[in-house]
Amino acid sequence: MPATVDLERLLRSADLRVTRPRLAVLAAVHALPHADTDTLIAAVRAESGDVSHQAVYDVLKALTGAGLVRRIQPADSVARYESRVGDNHHHVVCRSCGEIADVDCAVGEAPCLTATNDAGFVIDEAEVIYWGRCPRCTTAASDLQ
Amino acid sequence: MPATVDLERLLRSADLRVTRPRLAVLAAVHALPHADTDTLIAAVRAESGDVSHQAVYDVLKALTGAGLVRRIQPADSVARYESRVGDNHHHVVCRSCGEIADVDCAVGEAPCLTATNDAGFVIDEAEVIYWGRCPRCTTAASDLQ
DNA sequence: ACCTCTTCTTGAGTCAGTCAAGAAAAGACT
DNA sequence: AGTCTTTTCTTGACTGACTCAAGAAGAGGT
């Protein structure tokens, strides 16, 4: 996990003011990849005292807009955030427990896949979500038999 | 769009009872691909008189569970439904207006993509969402310049 | 025609996320 | 350093998609 100085530099390089809530949120996203907003709020408060949920929402929106964090939102899940940005990787989601893991992009640069028939759309990104079962849930399911 | 008799057959083949709300919802999903729940509720009521929103939610859940319709939910969008199932096609979503179009799967059968590093997950489906701009929004954006 | 089980209606409730207005803090400029 | 301006944070109310629960209605088997 990057040191506070590095996080400050990150914020400044994105033309964002350096504030306590922003540092705390950025640190929390680095420390807890794929965490949802509630988890992040709890982590921020544990480290940095009282911070309103609204501030965390605002900060996450600002960080997402600046490209410092990435927002992911699989179907039937609340929004989650991660600090790994710019490498066009994908995710695998467990249908049973909702756990998310990173998957490297097999193809290369974004959009990484070209649609055969793009319906006239100008495509800039291909988001891939693999659905399946995590190791723990696979084991648990086969134990039942 | 399939005739009512075909929709009835579809329901029976999935071991679902044939009711007026179910026929109306199924017809609406066929008539309005990628429609959200509100649009479907309006369509159902226009064709079939008063139907509670709860009934439509329940029916959509039953139809989704039976595999007669597919639920799609891009980030920042409410749930949408389509009747094209079983062919593992994908979607392209307009970042500007949210319009959705179908994209045929370039690769083949589900899961259609194999992750290079699957983190131990057992993967059964790869869901691909292409992000970009629809023809109308592309034109509108270049007109501004 | 009846009975049983599933489905539909009604109405209240939940929860992630948003809006709005004022208070506070960051950074710029004397 | 001290002020000023702009951006950010706090507080608290609100929105809207979706869910829960209990009783009424309808479907299909006997």
Side-chain angles (χ1 to χ4, degrees), chain A residues 22-91:
Chain A
R22 287 187 170 174
L23 284 172
V25 171
L26 201 47
V29 175
H30 274 88
L32 304 163
H34 311 136
D36 60 29
T37 317
D38 265 7
T39 307
L40 291 173
I41 291 176
V44 165
R45 288 185 177 153
E47 187 199 319
S48 188
D50 266 10
V51 178
S52 69
H53 80 154
Q54 185 61 46
V56 176
Y57 275 103
D58 285 353
V59 169
L60 285 171
K61 185 174 285 184
L63 295 178
T64 306
L68 296 185
V69 308
R70 179 171 162 200
R71 178 185 171 144
I72 53 183
Q73 190 172 19
D76 296 318
S77 167
V78 296
R80 291 162 180 279
Y81 295 87
E82 65 181 353
S83 57
R84 205 179 140 187
V85 293
D87 64 349
N88 192 233
H89 70 280
H90 302 305
H91 296 101

Side-chain angles (χ1 to χ4, degrees), chain B residues 38-105:
Chain B
D38 265 8
T39 306
L40 292 173
I41 291 175
V44 165
R45 287 185 178 154
E47 187 199 318
S48 189
D50 266 11
V51 177
S52 69
H53 81 152
Q54 185 60 48
V56 176
Y57 274 103
D58 285 354
V59 169
L60 285 172
K61 185 173 285 184
L63 295 178
T64 305
L68 297 185
V69 307
R70 180 170 160 202
R71 178 187 171 139
I72 53 183
Q73 191 171 18
D76 296 318
S77 167
V78 296
R80 292 162 180 277
Y81 295 88
E82 65 180 353
S83 56
R84 206 179 140 186
V85 293
D87 64 349
N88 192 233
H89 70 280
H90 302 305
H91 295 102
V92 50
V93 183
C94 178
R95 284 191 199 277
S96 170
C97 69
E99 182 168 311
I100 299 178
D102 286 339
V103 172
D104 291 321
C105 179

